[in-house]
């Protein structure tokens, strides 16, 4: 093998018709091996199933099968040990594996590619990769749900202000607030779970038309753990909806994390002072010695923007692509690989941060007591005395206006001034505006009354049991 | 009610504490009624269920319930008849309905809002809207699948070039190509179907903390057709994952349509000449009298970009939003409403275009015969004679190089020159390179052999039966 | 004209070759008149210039010119008066104008379209529209810069905590903080200003190849105020970089507004309590009478997500579009029109909110005094005594750790304990940690020392003078 | 240095207040050194200017200055030689450089950080990096413009069909088509050129408030080649509009490339057959020996989707970020670095592909002759005989309808049938429909007549001269 330009074209497995080598810049643009090498385990697993099936339908002899499987086993070991030699001239993971296989077992290695093409092969690798990614995310989502549940259990007696529009709205239990994230994450878990229903086994589709062998694709699907075989070869190689859906669900999950991260940033801000991150999850400043910055939470928040961008990239990539395989599809892996790695990182980070958060119950309660957050309950109090809701709302609004003008809390309004606003006010007003009373009155299912939050905690434990069992 | 500035604040149902009116520019920025009026039927449906439930737990009397339901019925009629008077000062759909209700039934109208807030109300409206949107899309997806199936049945005997990289790759049946889209759309249908599993009934969550009544939320859920009640009030009002998932699935479907649209544009281009759109789906040029432009297909392709953008907008909107409700969430409706309308439009348009497409079987076959698309089969032929696949590929590549140099089709290669390349070539080579033979040899499940495509057609009919029954 | 299906095709100006009418769904998908009617003034202006030029080169007679210009004048009046009758069957703004013109002036109206096509016509309309949009934004950006400057001038003596990572970092003047936004907006203004350099006059390009008349395109450009004529007809009709650049700059500006809006939300939150929005820029709650929500700021923040999405949509739309005009380009207007309207709305809203903000100087100062925000200056103090910076940082970090453990402010550290940490501490330490001293020591250009901020204010006034003169 | 957990916090330059080490997962999430090491040359350049300035204002002695500059010089050499030892515990590029500097020059190395923070330092590094990126892109844009010009010059006599809606529209010269891209790229060049006007020198802003030294920021700006000093410290460290604008312009350029790439894909498709990529810019298939796939063009098209996504990511990242520095800003570099590398790659690839394209003039001309692309000129012919344009369009439309029904080209219509449609037709009709005549009649400036395209070529050469001189 001389390596002269006019020969080098023939080094590629597809080089027969070519007389000149690829342009170096083209090779750099074209090669996916710098990133798709992470597909090696999936590529080998698919090849293993393919080889067994080829033998079962008589395309390979039993000896050939054994030889090939042994070679693949050795490749698995080399990859795992980090001694597999990657090369840019391999172009992609499939060629790298086959090249190495042929080095190990000789020319019989070439027979492994019978009855398939790189188009269905990479589609299979991607499905297998995504399935692993999904399972890993589900595992980590459950970890975070557990961490939230633990903190919620400890925060069952802690009253904090609940906000809408970032304005203090009504007092709630800390447990109530944290459980909101628990249930958001449960839905993310469920969406990950439903991902596999549209992941159909593509191998055996050839380049786009099927292949010249009556393959036993059901056997391959069964060995690889798929429920469905892709029924149409062109669809199987050209579609990337499994990746788009994966990125959508991952992005949705990252957005939930970004909201929780934002709250961690707010809570650990000095004006709020509701919580402190554990020291090992903060950074200092090169110039301000007092700083303990919540970099971890900020980065989780920031990284959700990366998910959004990658989802967009894949969408824009797929837009208007005619059938069947186009080289554009090579780029999908960049988005998928990075999102998988980052979601695992963000979930792990958020789990540790949630676990380590130290809440300041006193600051929270003090904040809850301010700002007339009992006003809705005063309105309800007037309703219970017979006023239509909208009128009760109006009277209470005037009361808040009067009191806040001079800084008087609700609990210190004089009965006389109350009665000027409405004759329905009576001394039971003062009980109404106690913080505990306000919280405990939220008795609707899903509400923040202790009993209702206790129900939520039980429900959450049950959810973990159920999902944990299914993972 | 004088309308003087100092009074106007009190016109709002929440105006009690306010002494001055909203700035006109703020009112324009803030009001959602210009778009959320489409939520009217869902708002009324939710209110009806809420009123019945309030009566069942004794918060409303039976008479009050009847009065309110009658008022709501009248509003339904007014909306349906297009005589409901919308006003910017109503701010949003919920206030418009309550304002009108109070006009109709008097001050008892104000009692309808007992035990809920606009936060859980709008969440409910959105869930109901999305459910309708999803059902409508599923219906239209099935229509398009049917149209594709009809064309595929007619194209069972038509041979066309299959492309990869937009280069002629292997001959396929037109039916095989069209069915690829059928199965892509089936997966979209399935994704729409799984949407509802994470749509949990939010009403009864109040502003964020629950409400002061032991509501029967299960009864409301049951009347409104939900399987699950949202277990946490903050989650219920703050989450928009149902909308994000909806937009993700809708966008994925729009991307599939954009790919089919691109093919319609290519096929009806004069160089391809594979198909013609029905005249009523083309436009002319103001300056070039000969033009028949595929504007419909171009617009379906283009509109997928709008879906991507709206998905991005909702994602960026949600990023880093702390709990619970924030006004930002008002904007979600813009993205959702437009996507629903446009997906229905695109699905309908594509169904009519697919139905009307006239394929030119002769042009397709001629194209398939060119360009050595039988080369993969020649390689397989050599494999069947004992050559390892990679070597067979190499020999065939050289054959193509030699033939294409002088423009000779594969079927006209001389046996002598074949044998110069490999002694394995024999006269059965000529049978191998017949177009029918190449197609029929793709016998793997999902392949383009007539028998396999016939299987696909049966399978597709079965799918339609199954899904149709479930719609 | 009977209106029977077989005739209706001919109603279109391009209908000559067509025998059947457009499908109703196609007409709905295809028509741009529901949104592009806002181009009417630009379309008429372009037509006016075109007609004058056609006369100047002898294609129209002087009488024809006058007749056409009078007709166009009447259309201008009808549009301005809101009495122009739009119709979906007009398909787009260009046809609507020509249809009406022909109604007014008779068949000579048809001559106006000589030497142009809708492709170059819509490109021209879009350039003119964008130029107006840009000028309007620049005007409103200056208004907001003025509002910020006014508040900054009033906040020259107000000390507040400056934040990094939303952690109190160093005390700054309120003026310093507000001026940051002033200068960000100045750069947005400059970017809008440079937009026109790549806006080249497209009219006279015909459909894509030029036209059969030696048009005087320079004259048209000159009448319409363009500096450059597009030198290539295909580029002129196919490019949309002027729109993409416009959306990029508008989006960048919207992002700046979103950051300021976030601060308004934070500042008016009760934990911060730094500022209050004017009552007319807040909303109440239907259920919580005490609420004053900063909906305006939240919506400005939210709407930046819409800009991002529309920028993405246009980008994805343009991706991979072959030359020259494709119908996809019709959709660009949706993104552009909405972004223009919303940016004007957001700029106007933010200007009013900034103008109306009432800052609470006391709360800000109190916040600045907490949290050891003088620490960087203590480190510098040690540096001035000879310690290398990194060591000074370390000693100060330990000091903060010790003091914050027991809640002692920096100003109350005992000299003895200071000296335990470093013998370099002396009684001048106490002067160092005074808030005014810390602020005034930031004497680098652009720093927060009063003198430096005064410089910034002067500079800002100068900028307004300079830019104002150019608008 | 023991490495025990309780000590490790103090290893960080900001570790003074910290008692425990960072969590390993946090360190992995937080560290930017894996990517920001590419900033090393810029970081050192900024440090050099900073050190000189500190000496000039007396903060450093002349000896200290010399020592530090020598140390920085050595670091430059180590980085250039690839022997600089990066470590994750360095956290970021700034700390890595300072750590190494201190190793080289001892504790005086710590003095370099006087009067700055990492916040202004990274802002400076980014501005310098972007400026280099912009200059590199401009250089490569010019290369591609040159390649297009060379091909255009060779294609001056080649007639091809111009398309709208991908339908043959009017015949154009190949040069005309290629020059469209030339001028699009010129505008991209101009946008890159205007980038620097809003790149203001940030160093000397400290963390957000300025620093305690009367720095000579103008001197630093001058040494580093900036025209403007950022006038406000908070703006200087918190803004990323320079990056957002950079990504916008880069994305716009990538979209232009994607359109050209799409045309290369179409032209090298067998149905078109208009051009062939050089063999070294094509790939083969592992299964189909005849394939020569335009992978390079497909990847350039695909990669534009990556640009769109990264632009979105940065936008979503910036949305709603309060002042001043937040850790989120660390992620901006990921988007910027990747876009720079990929744009250089895509521009280089496209330049080589354009240079190597071999056009098939015969196929193009044949295609141009089909499909009645002369119809617009026939309409103009009728106009020249006195028919209003719209009526001429109608008559020609009917003519095309009649001729295409039986496959007769325009040049073979019988005069009798022409006159049935309009008595204005005469024997000069036949001259009108010659392809050369149609092309040459497009005499408007910017049109496709040879004379006009020759003008364009001259203009393009002039543009290259002008821009080349400025690069």
């Amino acid at each position: 093998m001389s390596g002269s330009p006019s020969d080098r074209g023939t080094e590629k497995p597809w080089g027969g018709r070519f007389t000149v080598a690829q342009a170096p810049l083209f090779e750099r643009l074209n090669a996916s091996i710098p990133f798709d090498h992470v597909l090696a385990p999936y590529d080998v697993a698919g090849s293993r199933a393919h080889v067994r099936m080829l033998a079962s339908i008589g395309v390979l002899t039993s000896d050939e099968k054994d030889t090939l499987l042994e070679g693949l086993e050795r490749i698995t070991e080399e990859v795992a040990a980090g001694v597999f030699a990657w090369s840019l001239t391999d172009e992609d993971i499939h060629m790298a594996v086959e090249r190495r296989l042929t080095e190990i077992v000789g020319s019989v290695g070439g027979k492994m590619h019978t009855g398939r093409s790189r188009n269905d092969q990479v589609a299979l690798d991607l499905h297998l990769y995504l399935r692993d990614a999904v399972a890993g995310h589900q595992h980590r989502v459950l970890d975070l749900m557990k961490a939230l549940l633990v903190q919620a259990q400890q925060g069952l007696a802690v009253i904090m202000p609940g906000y809408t529009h970032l304005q203090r709205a009504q007092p709630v239990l800390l447990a109530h607030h944290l459980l909101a994230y628990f249930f958001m994450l449960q839905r993310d878990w469920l969406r990950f779970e439903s991902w596999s229903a549209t992941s159909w086994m593509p191998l055996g589709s050839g380049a786009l038309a099927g292949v010249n062998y009556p393959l036993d694709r059901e056997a391959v699907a069964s060995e690889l753990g798929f429920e469905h075989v892709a029924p149409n070869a062109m669809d199987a190689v050209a579609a990337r909806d499994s990746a788009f859906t994966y990125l959508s669900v991952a992005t949705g999950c990252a957005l939930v994390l970004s909201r929780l991260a934002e709250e961690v940033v707010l809570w650990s801000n000095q004006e709020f002072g509701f919580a402190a991150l554990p020291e090992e999850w903060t950074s200092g400043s090169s110039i301000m010695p007092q700083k303990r910055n919540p970099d971890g939470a900020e980065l989780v928040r920031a990284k959700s923007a990366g998910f959004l961008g990658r989802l967009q990239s894949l969408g824009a990539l797929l837009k208007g692509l005619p059938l069947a395989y186009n080289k554009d599809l090579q780029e999908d892996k960049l988005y998928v690989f990075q999102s998988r790695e980052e979601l695992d990182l963000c979930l792990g980070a958020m789990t540790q941060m949630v676990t380590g958060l130290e809440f300041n119950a006193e600051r929270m309660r003090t904040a809850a007591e301010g700002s007339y957050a009992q006003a809705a309950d005063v309105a309800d109090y007037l309703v219970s005395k017979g006023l239509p809701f909208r009128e009760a709302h109006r009277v209470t609004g005037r009361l808040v206006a009067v009191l806040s003008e001079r800084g008087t809390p609700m609990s210190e309004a004089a009965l006389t001034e109350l009665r000027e606003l409405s004759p329905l006010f009576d001394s039971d007003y003062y009980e109404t505006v106690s913080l505990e009373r306000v919280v405990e009155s939220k008795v609707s299912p899903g509400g923040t009354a202790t009993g209702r939050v206790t129900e939520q905690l039980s429900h959450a434990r049950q959810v973990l049991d159920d999902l944990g069992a299914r993972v």
Side-chain angles (χ1 to χ4, degrees), chain A residues 370-392:
Chain A
S371 291
Y372 311 96
Q374 312 99 316
D377 283 72
V378 172
D380 278 337
Y381 163 87
L382 291 170
V383 169
S384 74
K385 304 264 176 177
L387 221 55
F389 180 78
R390 290 295 187 205
E391 291 175 40

Side-chain angles (χ1 to χ4, degrees), chain A residues 308-344:
Chain A
L308 281 167
R310 291 186 293 272
L311 176 59
Q312 286 300 313
S313 291
L314 183 58
L317 183 98
L318 292 173
K319 171 177 169 275
L321 268 198
L323 301 188
Y325 183 84
N326 297 281
K327 187 68 171 192
D328 312 60
L329 298 179
Q330 175 170 297
E331 296 274 308
D332 64 354
K333 277 167 280 302
L334 291 165
Y335 315 135
V336 164
F337 294 171
Q338 197 174 352
S339 289
R340 178 202 191 160
E341 192 176 322
E342 298 227 329
L343 188 56
D344 279 347

Side-chain angles (χ1 to χ4, degrees), chain A residues 247-299:
Chain A
L247 288 181
S248 299
V249 178
T251 301
C253 185
L255 288 170
V256 168
L257 299 185
S258 81
R259 300 181 74 171
L260 180 52
E262 172 78 8
E263 304 221 68
V264 171
V265 170
L266 287 174
W267 292 341
S268 57
N269 155 274
Q270 287 91 348
E271 315 315 326
F272 279 80
F274 287 1
L277 278 171
E279 199 178 303
E280 61 263 36
W281 275 91
T282 62
S283 284
S285 153
S286 70
I287 201 163
M288 293 168 289
Q290 87 281 11
K291 292 300 284 305
R292 279 195 191 171
N293 296 321
D295 297 57
E298 294 171 280
L299 285 166

